[in-house]
Amino acid sequence: MTVDLGLPAAPPPVLGKRRVTRQLGVGAVGVGSDFPVSVQSMTTTVTADVNATLQQIAELTATGCDIVRVACPSQDDADALPQIARKSKIPVIADIHFQPKYVFAAIEAGCAAVRVNPGNIKKFDDKVKEIARAAKDHGTPIRIGVNAGSLDARLMAKHGKATPEALVESALWEAELFAEHDFHDLKISVKHNDPVVMVRAYELLAESCDYPLHLGVTEAGPAFQGTIKSAVAFGALLRQGIGDTIRVSLSAPPMEEVKVGTQILQSLNLRPRKLEIVSCPSCGRAQVDVYKLADQVTAGLEGMEVPLRVAVMGCVVNGPGEAREADLGVASGNGKGQIFVKGKVIKTVPESKIVETLIEEAMRLAEEAGPQGAAESPTVSML
């Protein structure tokens, strides 16, 4: 007889130990190695349109975004920052290019942080002392955001192109200027559209400083391509413990960026898992429409907060084994499905009832898990 002693489960395995960094607060969100890796995105609205911007921020918040960035290219946008920063439910970072005056406006507006791009802000280095003083007075962190597409002309001339070394040299130069004025609440990013160059740049940067790092493959592309690039690059870096915040840059609605970023972190056990579909690619052995089953169950369980792993398999080769390993599963074939709960067959249903039955059982498991369910890791398999 097995007795449940109520002991806490072992923490999920991770690929690598987090790199030790300085710590800072972006509003209520802690950033650095003492805190979970957070997901960021950026609004696509005109910031001066306060209602539209707040609406999109609300949608991003509901999708799981931790920190949001808003563009500030004009005075009208700067004027909108106080209201947006005050009403947003998540920390707002002002994204500043070209005009240094908007850096000061964002700090005064109460933004949780300010992102600056030294490569395209006029005479940025001459303004560092004033920026550092204002940021320190208001407790506002600064992100030094170096991009391959807007690297300082001096460094382009020196290195010939946006090499990893050039990106890192730019970032460290600016960080040192802030340090000279005793300002250290910095986060750094060195983004490039090539994941190989980007990964090497962050590796070099991680070796050279202890500031928290924001990961991003800039201009990653349309949703499919950008997802692949970001997942590959983030995985390579997070494997080494490098990265404290992430943004998946997609030519797609920003909510999709958050979904992809969240899934990347969940896949690496850097964020508690929720609904997860484990499904086979199908093959000639499949006796059910795996694609249809997976889509229907995913849609039926959308929004479920209790962690559930759903494995959708189409034949008897791996099906029963996968189902037994899951919290909830179905091994399908010959027009019917065996429903597994906690490794045991509880019923056999016609193929037409598989989706309905699985959703019912998933809801029952979620109800049984109660408010503590989020700390567990129930699994669902469809096989």
Side-chain angles (χ1 to χ4, degrees):
M1 178 179 177
T2 301
V3 178
D4 183 0
L5 299 177
L7 298 175
V14 294
L15 290 175
K17 186 178 180 180
R18 289 280 295 280
R19 160 182 168 268
V20 177
T21 73
R22 296 171 180 265
Q23 314 301 314
L24 56 85
V26 178
V29 176
V31 172
S33 52
D34 289 353
F35 302 98
V37 178
S38 55
V39 176
Q40 294 189 21
S41 187
M42 188 170 182
T43 55
T44 58
T45 57
V46 175
T47 303
D49 187 340
V50 173
N51 290 336
T53 301
L54 286 172
Q55 175 60 37
Q56 192 168 82
I57 290 175
E59 293 171 1
L60 285 164
T61 304
T63 308
C65 189
D66 299 306
I67 301 170
V68 66
R69 189 154 42 107
V70 299
C72 186
S74 74
Q75 187 61 52
D76 287 343
D77 297 316
D79 293 341
L81 290 176
Q83 189 175 358
I84 292 170
R86 185 174 66 254
K87 292 188 175 181
S88 173
K89 300 298 184 185
I90 57 176
V92 173
I93 297 177
D95 191 70
I96 310 298
H97 298 265
F98 306 116
Q99 293 289 343
K101 66 180 181 179
Y102 298 139
V103 177
F104 299 103
I107 292 172
E108 292 288 341
C111 290
V114 178
R115 181 272 175 121
V116 294
N117 187 341
N120 62 20
I121 294 182
K122 297 175 182 177
K123 298 183 179 180
F124 179 79
D125 290 358
D126 298 337
K127 299 288 185 180
V128 168
K129 181 178 181 180
E130 295 174 57
I131 292 172
R133 183 187 303 119
K136 182 180 288 187
D137 289 346
H138 288 79
T140 308
I142 300 289
R143 171 156 76 90
I144 299 172
V146 177
N147 270 21
S150 54
L151 195 61
D152 188 282
R154 296 168 299 173
L155 292 169
M156 288 294 286
K158 176 181 177 180
H159 293 272
K161 60 181 180 179
T163 63
E165 292 78 9
L167 295 169
V168 171
E169 184 176 341
S170 174
L172 292 178
W173 168 263
E174 302 301 339
E176 182 58 31
L177 290 181
F178 276 99
E180 287 178 2
H181 299 291
D182 195 30
F183 186 84
H184 306 282
D185 282 349
L186 300 173
K187 181 171 60 169
I188 302 178
S189 63
V190 283
K191 296 186 179 182
H192 197 287
N193 61 64
D194 184 328
V196 175
V197 176
M198 173 267 198
V199 167
R200 185 56 186 150
Y202 277 99
E203 289 173 339
L204 291 173
L205 186 59
E207 293 171 0
S208 305
C209 72
D210 64 353
Y211 292 111
L213 304 182
H214 171 72
L215 304 186
V217 178
T218 190
E219 293 107 28
F224 177 77
Q225 175 181 292
T227 295
I228 298 299
K229 280 187 174 183
S230 298
V232 168
F234 293 177
L237 290 166
L238 292 168
R239 165 69 178 87
Q240 302 174 69
I242 298 171
D244 303 286
T245 63
I246 65 171
R247 188 232 172 148
V248 179
S249 298
L250 302 178
S251 299
M255 284 64 74
E256 296 304 311
E257 297 183 349
V258 175
K259 291 177 183 177
V260 172
T262 301
Q263 190 60 54
I264 290 172
L265 295 182
Q266 287 184 13
S267 297
L268 296 172
N269 286 335
L270 293 172
R271 178 166 287 211
R273 299 190 186 206
K274 296 182 181 178
L275 178 63
E276 179 185 5
I277 304 297
V278 179
S279 60
C280 73
S282 193
C283 68
R285 297 189 300 264
Q287 296 178 327
V288 295
D289 187 338
V290 177
Y291 310 144
K292 183 178 179 181
L293 283 177
D295 286 345
Q296 289 178 338
V297 173
T298 300
L301 297 179
E302 185 176 4
M304 180 170 284
E305 292 296 312
V306 174
L308 290 172
R309 181 172 297 150
V310 183
V312 182
M313 309 286 285
C315 76
V316 296
V317 173
N318 295 316
E322 289 280 357
R324 290 189 181 93
E325 291 295 319
D327 294 299
L328 173 62
V330 57
S332 305
N334 297 320
K336 57 187 178 181
Q338 283 188 315
I339 305 297
F340 288 74
V341 173
K342 303 294 184 181
K344 297 180 180 180
V345 177
I346 63 165
K347 65 178 75 173
T348 300
V349 299
E351 184 176 334
S352 62
K353 297 288 187 181
I354 288 176
V355 173
E356 174 187 333
T357 305
L358 281 173
I359 292 174
E360 288 176 354
E361 291 298 325
M363 296 300 181
R364 183 180 62 79
L365 287 173
E367 185 176 351
E368 289 178 356
Q372 302 301 319
E376 305 296 329
S377 183
T379 309
V380 184
S381 293
M382 292 185 52
L383 310 143

